[in-house]
Amino acid sequence: YLEKAESAIKLRGIVLGTIIEKCLGTARSTTKSKAIEIILEFVSIDSIEPVINELCNFLNHKQPKLVSSVISTITEIIK
């Protein structure tokens, strides 16, 4: 797993943006929980700052569900 971490860091911007937009904005709770798990894995692989920056890009999104999920994900990361 850790051998592949470098590849995950390189693709972080593309993968996180897609996961945030497509998975956190959905009404399915299992999809949201899996997305949060993946985001927390990115935090554990690298540092917290780039992940938080990527999440903050979606705070001005037009879907209130997505903004709410982003805020709760940031809260979960900070815990």
Side-chain angles (χ1 to χ4, degrees):
Y1 173 74
L2 291 176
E3 295 171 358
K4 304 290 184 184
E6 187 176 322
S7 299
I9 292 170
K10 290 178 185 176
L11 297 173
R12 177 182 50 227
I14 299 166
V15 173
L16 276 181
T18 305
I19 289 173
I20 293 167
E21 188 171 8
K22 301 294 182 185
C23 299
L24 288 183
T26 187
R28 297 180 180 178
S29 62
T30 55
T31 304
K32 279 185 186 179
S33 65
K34 293 289 184 183
I36 291 171
E37 286 179 31
I38 293 170
I39 292 169
L40 291 175
E41 286 294 324
F42 273 105
V43 170
S44 68
I45 290 172
D46 195 21
S47 65
I48 190 172
E49 185 179 342
V51 177
I52 295 289
N53 287 339
E54 189 69 35
L55 285 164
C56 287
N57 291 335
F58 289 89
L59 288 176
N60 295 327
H61 202 270
K62 61 183 177 182
Q63 291 180 342
K65 292 188 301 185
L66 179 60
V67 174
S68 171
S69 295
V70 166
I71 291 171
S72 65
T73 304
I74 291 172
T75 305
E76 189 69 30
I77 290 172
I78 293 174
K79 287 182 184 178

